[in-house]
């Protein structure tokens, strides 16, 4: 009886994805859609990538998602002014009728990912509808919230995943049929990915998608800080309001599995020699005089046997593994599942950052989180810091922990491919 009640409650509280009037660039005014897109705000490697994108086109989306000014308030006001100007000039236009959007990404290796972009009703973690798997940093949430308040817009979609059931009426069936039609827009970005977008406005198609998704829960694959921001802003606005919903991309990973990559750390002002000296007697350290691809292979092999990291920044690579068991017992909380306690990210944060290197994980002046491996190494070598390279965790581990309500350390995973920012936005006053 309890089981049946739980099942009915789960069905009632499934994913509620609603159509919206998308805000999109006018190709006739911007010329190249590829030139105005960007990776998500936290993937842009600053300042190199940011400056490159700003220079690529005066209308690049980074001018909204990463505005540049002296103070935070000036940055947010600049983004709001830019958005208002682009709307008045017709650079960004609102689609005539509400819809969901089918979004496709391909790369040269044969990867194909499709999903649905829409406005998802926000929920609390206790409801079990949208499962977070990572903790968030309060200062990042505050920064994103201030930007969204100023612009009154969801500027880029989060990446959420769910597991479809393969039935003939499910969302993926509708997605794949629509993807056979001519696309609303198509572009190829400089990273080699091609992007296509279709609008879904037919009431029958919308109903099939919404009915199917109402029976599913989702895992946040990318965008924990923006999801936390959505929830913070919802609490600030009396319901019902547009702030009850947030812009997301939902991907059925039973049909389109995501790639899982690591997010690396850059320790500012910590030379590699100092970082290694602090590990004496606590970890095994091996010097590797090999190129980056070979060093990553060594890391992958070592990670199969236990916790392992690569340190770089002095022109070489150093494999750090075999942590002292007594050190782990002293530093890692014992009240979590074994799968969490043995994560590389857990050992990095609870043991290395907190107890060995004494670096606060949420202090941007001391540590940076970078997705691109080579860029992390280059920055460490240029700035005299230490790159800490990670091996990715498996998706099933992430999902299992999320279902148990256990969050992983911040920036533990990088799921992808991530949706390009700039293809469709959601204005909250439309």
């Amino acid at each position: 009886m309890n089981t049946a009640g739980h099942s009915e409650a789960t069905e009632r509280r499934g994913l509620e994805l609603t159509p919206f009037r998308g805000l999109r660039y006018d190709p006739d005014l911007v010329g190249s859609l590829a030139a105005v897109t960007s990776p998500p705000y936290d993937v842009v490697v600053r300042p190199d990538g940011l400056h490159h994108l700003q220079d690529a086109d005066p209308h690049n989306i980074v001018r909204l998602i990463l505005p540049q000014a002296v103070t935070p308030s000036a940055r947010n006001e600049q983004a709001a002014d830019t958005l208002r100007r682009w709307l008045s000039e017709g650079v960004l236009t609102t689609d005539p009728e509400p819809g969901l959007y089918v979004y496709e990404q391909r790369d040269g290796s044969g990867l194909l990912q499709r999903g649905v972009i829409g406005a998802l009703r926000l929920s609390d973690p206790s409801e079990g509808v949208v499962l977070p798997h990572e903790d968030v940093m309060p200062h990042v949430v505050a920064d994103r919230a201030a930007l969204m308040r100023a612009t009154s817009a969801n500027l880029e979609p989060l990446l959420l995943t769910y597991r479809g059931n393969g039935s003939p009426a499910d969302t993926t069936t509708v997605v794949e049929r629509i993807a056979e039609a001519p696309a609303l827009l198509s572009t190829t970005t400089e990273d080699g990915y091609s992007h296509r977008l279709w609008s879904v406005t037919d009431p029958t198609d919308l109903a099939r998608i919404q009915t199917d998704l109402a029976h599913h829960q989702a895992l946040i694959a990318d965008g924990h800080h923006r999801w936390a921001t959505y929830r913070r802003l919802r609490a600030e606005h009396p319901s019902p309001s547009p702030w009850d919903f947030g812009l997301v991309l939902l991907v059925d990973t039973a049909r389109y599995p995501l790639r899982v990559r690591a997010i690396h750390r850059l320790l500012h002002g910590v030379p590699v020699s100092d970082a290694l000296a602090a590990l004496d007697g606590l970890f095994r350290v091996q010097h590797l005089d090999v190129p980056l691809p070979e060093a990553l292979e060594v890391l992958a092999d070592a990670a199969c046997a236990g916790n392992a990291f690569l340190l770089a920044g002095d022109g070489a690579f150093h494999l750090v593994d075999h942590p002292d068991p007594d050190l782990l017992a002293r530093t890692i909380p014992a009240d979590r599942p074994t799968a969490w306690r043995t994560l590389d990210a857990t050992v990095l944060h609870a043991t290395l950052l907190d107890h060995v290197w004494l670096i606060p994980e949420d202090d941007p002046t001391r540590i940076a989180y970078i997705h691109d491996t080579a860029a992390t190494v280059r920055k460490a070598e240029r700035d005299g810091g230490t790159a800490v390279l990670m091996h990715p965790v498996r998706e099933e581990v992430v999902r299992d922990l999320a279902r148990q309500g256990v969050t992983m350390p911040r920036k533990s995973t990088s799921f992808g491919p991530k949706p390009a920012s700039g293809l469709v936005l959601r204005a909250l006053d439309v």
Side-chain angles (χ1 to χ4, degrees), residues 61-80:
I61 192 68
V62 294
R63 297 179 184 273
L64 298 183
I65 63 175
L66 287 173
Q68 297 299 293
V70 176
T71 66
S73 59
R75 289 196 295 269
N76 296 328
E77 188 54 43
Q78 182 182 90

Side-chain angles (χ1 to χ4, degrees), residues 112-429:
L112 169 64
Q113 178 174 291
R114 289 176 178 147
V116 180
I117 295 175
L120 184 68
R121 179 176 290 279
L122 306 180
S123 59
D124 296 324
S126 60
E127 297 177 57
V129 177
V130 175
L131 305 176
H133 71 265
E134 288 184 359
D135 295 330
V136 297
M137 291 176 271
H139 76 276
V140 178
V141 176
D143 175 74
R144 291 293 101 186
L147 178 63
M148 285 191 204
R149 283 191 206 98
T151 58
S152 192
N154 298 155
L155 300 173
E156 45 187 348
L158 284 64
L159 175 60
L160 273 61
T161 73
Y162 70 99
R163 302 288 291 180
N165 56 21
S167 67
D170 73 4
T171 301
T172 299
T173 302
V174 178
V175 165
E176 293 184 348
R177 175 174 51 78
I178 288 175
E180 295 175 356
L184 192 65
L185 66 84
S186 179
T187 190
T188 300
T189 46
E190 65 176 19
D191 58 6
Y193 278 90
S194 64
H195 308 261
R196 294 198 294 170
L197 194 76
W198 297 260
S199 179
V200 185
T201 56
D202 179 80
T204 301
D205 286 335
L206 292 174
R208 290 177 70 186
I209 291 172
Q210 291 173 311
T211 299
D212 175 47
L213 292 177
H215 295 87
H216 292 287
Q217 64 178 188
L219 174 73
I220 301 177
D222 185 69
H224 284 81
H225 289 90
R226 283 167 286 165
W227 180 257
T229 299
Y230 288 168
R231 294 182 56 241
R232 174 184 287 195
L233 295 174
R234 177 191 63 174
E236 297 175 2
H237 295 80
S239 185
S241 82
W243 298 91
D244 292 339
F245 298 81
L247 187 63
V248 305
L249 165 65
L250 277 164
V251 174
D252 175 5
T253 53
R255 177 67 180 86
Y256 301 106
L258 271 65
R259 292 174 174 169
V260 187
R261 292 189 169 95
I263 301 177
H264 310 294
R265 276 67 171 161
L266 175 61
L267 311 184
H268 298 304
V270 180
V272 175
S273 57
D274 290 357
L276 292 174
L279 301 179
D280 187 36
L282 302 177
F283 284 75
R284 184 178 71 172
V285 177
Q286 297 181 67
H287 176 86
L288 306 177
D289 192 12
V290 296
L292 177 59
E294 292 180 30
L296 292 174
E297 291 178 6
V298 174
L299 174 62
D301 290 341
C304 292
N307 301 119
F309 313 91
L310 274 181
L311 302 193
D314 60 353
F317 297 98
H318 310 270
L319 179 68
V320 174
D321 64 355
H322 289 203
D324 174 51
D326 290 338
L327 173 67
L328 299 184
R330 292 196 309 272
T331 57
I332 295 180
D335 60 347
R336 302 288 184 92
T338 300
W340 181 89
R341 298 180 75 245
T342 55
L343 288 169
D344 286 339
T346 298
V347 173
L348 173 61
H349 283 258
T351 303
L352 287 170
L353 292 178
D354 289 352
H355 291 273
V356 177
W357 293 326
L358 304 178
I359 296 176
E361 62 185 26
D362 57 356
D363 183 350
T365 68
R366 303 287 303 281
I367 185 170
Y369 299 83
I370 304 177
H371 294 71
D372 185 272
T373 310
T376 310
V377 175
R378 286 197 302 271
K379 281 181 165 291
E381 291 178 344
R382 184 186 66 195
D383 302 339
T386 295
V388 183
L389 306 183
M390 310 279 288
H391 184 68
V393 65
R394 301 191 313 278
E395 180 180 358
E396 56 266 30
V397 173
V398 176
R399 193 176 294 274
D400 287 347
L401 286 172
R403 284 175 174 155
Q404 297 177 56
V406 178
T407 54
M408 299 168 65
R410 301 160 181 172
K411 299 292 184 181
S412 293
T413 59
S414 175
F415 285 88
K418 305 177 191 303
S421 298
L423 295 181
V424 61
L425 293 66
R426 174 178 174 252
L428 290 159
D429 51 5

